[in-house]
Amino acid sequence: DVNQTYQLLSGQVQSGKTREIINYCFWSIHEQKKSVLLVFQNITVDIDQFRSRVKTFNEQNAVPVVDRLPIRDIRDYDPSTPAVYLALGNFMQLKKFSKFLDTTAVEFTMCLDEADLCVKSGNNNSELEKIMEPLKQRAAHILGVTATNLSLLFHERLIDSMMTLKVSDDYHSYADLIKVNLPPNADVARAEAYKTFGERPSGFILHIEYHKKQRQLAVAGMMAKEYP
């Protein structure tokens, strides 16, 4: 809804959040004629995955070239034509984009992936929030996307509405996992657990044995060698 400032989209893993981000970018560029500042969490691989998803989306839906999403790095800012600008959620990248905006009056929208990570202090005191808040105030529209929205509901004052994506039929939570407590003789328990697991057609093991990081990593390395 273009008449609302900040819409929050909540959805579990595999509920279609990335597809909705792509749809939002299409809406902003092809219907609203505005660029999108798409902010990811501060992990480069998320940007690479998004580029790959857009490429697959275009190919699977046979999207004509004229209707595809022009994706740019924030360093390649060009106010003359709408585009999706990909940025990591850190102060330096958002500061660059903010400086480009200072030279133009062009309107833009914002899409925040893992939007709850933008809440760092609750009072906009962190470095990220200090640069993010003016951008949000200036944006024509904001879509925040997350699976964990509690911090946003507590601290984000701009939210106008919230939408929840339907959980997919094959989604399983922690409550659905088969939990096995390791007895004192952990070596025997491990061997039996992995033997049983190896007889199944598919699945995964969430193996938590130690609360100390280095000890847990040592076990992971040992198990990877024993069960390649």
Side-chain angles (χ1 to χ4, degrees):
D1 187 345
V2 73
N3 296 316
Q4 296 183 337
T5 302
Y6 191 135
Q7 291 180 283
L8 179 61
L9 181 66
S10 177
Q12 296 289 354
V13 175
Q14 299 300 315
S15 61
K17 294 192 297 296
T18 302
R19 181 184 64 245
E20 293 303 325
I21 290 174
I22 293 173
N23 289 339
Y24 180 78
C25 291
F26 268 90
W27 170 80
S28 181
I29 288 176
H30 295 299
E31 291 189 31
Q32 301 301 309
K33 310 302 180 186
K34 293 179 175 66
S35 288
V36 188
L37 173 59
L38 177 49
V39 183
F40 295 90
Q41 57 182 323
N42 200 18
I43 302 175
T44 306
V45 70
D46 284 5
I47 287 182
D48 296 335
Q49 288 177 344
F50 182 77
R51 288 181 182 274
S52 176
R53 282 291 299 273
V54 170
K55 183 174 182 290
T56 301
F57 179 89
N58 286 333
E59 292 170 351
Q60 290 180 346
N61 294 280
V63 179
V65 174
V66 69
D67 291 328
R68 294 188 180 184
L69 288 179
I71 295 177
R72 296 180 188 151
D73 187 277
I74 55 171
R75 292 171 295 187
D76 302 323
Y77 181 70
D78 179 1
S80 62
T81 56
V84 180
Y85 290 94
L86 306 182
L88 294 175
N90 64 56
F91 175 83
M92 294 305 297
Q93 290 230 332
L94 296 179
K95 184 67 175 177
K96 287 179 185 176
F97 190 79
S98 182
K99 285 184 176 179
F100 288 134
L101 290 177
D102 290 341
T103 65
T104 177
V106 173
E107 287 190 322
F108 69 100
T109 65
M110 286 182 74
C111 184
L112 309 175
D113 186 31
E114 306 296 349
D116 56 300
L117 297 179
C118 296
V119 177
K120 301 294 184 183
S121 66
N123 57 8
N124 294 326
N125 236 3
S126 69
E127 288 298 303
L128 177 62
E129 288 168 314
K130 285 178 182 176
I131 191 64
M132 178 71 78
E133 192 62 21
L135 286 170
K136 288 192 295 186
Q137 293 289 345
R138 184 169 173 181
H141 187 273
I142 304 168
L143 178 68
V145 181
T146 184
T148 49
N149 49 50
L150 193 59
S151 61
L152 283 164
L153 295 177
F154 272 118
H155 300 296
E156 181 54 77
R157 297 175 180 83
L158 294 176
I159 292 176
D160 291 305
S161 66
M162 178 175 172
M163 301 162 285
T164 303
L165 290 172
K166 179 180 178 294
V167 178
S168 61
D169 295 334
D170 60 352
Y171 175 76
H172 297 282
S173 69
Y174 179 76
D176 299 313
L177 295 177
I178 300 170
K179 303 172 187 68
V180 179
N181 291 321
L182 295 178
N185 191 345
D187 291 341
V188 174
R190 279 198 218 106
E192 182 60 30
Y194 279 83
K195 177 179 179 296
T196 303
F197 177 75
E199 294 168 354
R200 299 178 58 174
S202 64
F204 68 92
I205 288 181
L206 180 63
H207 183 147
I208 303 172
E209 192 167 333
Y210 296 107
H211 295 289
K212 294 289 187 180
K213 179 179 177 180
Q214 293 306 320
R215 296 189 73 183
Q216 181 66 29
L217 286 172
V219 171
M222 180 182 69
M223 301 311 293
K225 290 179 181 177
E226 194 167 342
Y227 300 96

